[in-house]
Amino acid sequence: MKKIFVILLVLFSVTVSAKTPAKKVTVKVYNSKEYSIILDKFLTRAEKYLETGDKKSLLDDYIKNIESSRVMKKALEDNYDKDKEAFSLVEVALFMKSSYSEGEDAKKLTDEDYKEMQEKFVKTKKYKQLEDYATIQTTTDVK
């Protein structure tokens, strides 16, 4: 009797969960104007990060707001220069250790911190998209 009850309970829960509709996840895809605003706001925040030398927050903000944004192809084309500016700002801050290193937060960064941030940055889709533009190489790669 107990086994029959457990089997019925399992069947009932499977049936109920199968009937529940899946939640639709809506992802916002930005147009040219919206993406331009996102880039402008990032560049403004980036200046503040670089004043204090907070390169970790710079990278995290870039990944959160630029890298993870879903953007129409036309928006990427229309904002290519601004996108490239944001990309190169992060790239220079991470790969040229002496750049933007006057702030207190930058002085606390170790070589290991830079290595981790560089690896994280290189793994982004945006890096792969703009790597042809990339002109700065890590010092360990150049011999």
Side-chain angles (χ1 to χ4, degrees):
M1 181 70 172
K2 197 173 189 180
K3 289 181 181 180
I4 293 173
F5 179 71
V6 170
I7 292 172
L8 288 173
L9 186 60
V10 169
L11 288 174
F12 177 72
S13 65
V14 169
T15 305
V16 169
S17 65
K19 289 182 180 179
T20 16
K23 291 183 181 179
K24 287 187 176 182
V25 177
T26 305
V27 176
K28 173 73 174 150
V29 179
Y30 297 104
N31 63 30
S32 293
K33 184 177 179 183
E34 293 167 326
Y35 190 53
S36 178
I37 292 169
I38 289 170
L39 288 165
D40 287 337
K41 287 181 179 180
F42 169 77
L43 290 169
T44 300
R45 289 189 308 273
E47 287 178 33
K48 293 176 184 165
Y49 293 138
L50 295 176
E51 285 174 9
T52 62
D54 192 358
K55 295 180 182 187
K56 286 183 178 182
S57 293
L58 173 72
L59 177 60
D60 290 341
D61 191 335
Y62 181 81
I63 290 172
K64 178 183 176 195
N65 293 296
I66 307 299
E67 167 68 17
S68 63
S69 294
R70 301 286 183 242
V71 183
M72 294 178 183
K73 185 176 181 178
K74 181 168 178 10
L76 286 174
E77 293 166 358
D78 292 347
N79 291 289
Y80 181 77
D81 289 338
K82 203 179 294 187
D83 205 1
K84 192 169 59 174
E85 179 183 353
F87 171 84
S88 62
L89 187 71
V90 175
E91 182 186 34
V92 167
L94 298 180
F95 287 94
M96 293 185 69
K97 296 176 189 175
S98 60
S99 297
Y100 308 109
S101 295
E102 300 302 315
E104 288 300 314
D105 292 332
K107 292 176 183 174
K108 297 175 188 172
L109 294 172
T110 65
D111 287 342
E112 187 62 33
D113 292 330
Y114 277 103
K115 184 178 177 185
E116 287 175 18
M117 290 187 297
Q118 290 167 356
E119 288 172 357
K120 191 174 179 180
F121 181 65
V122 169
K123 290 178 183 175
T124 63
K125 288 179 278 179
K126 189 63 74 174
Y127 182 86
K128 290 170 181 63
Q129 178 188 7
L130 294 173
E131 69 184 329
D132 291 337
Y133 169 73
T135 55
I136 299 171
Q137 304 297 319
T138 60
T139 54
T140 56
D141 291 344
V142 178
K143 292 188 179 182

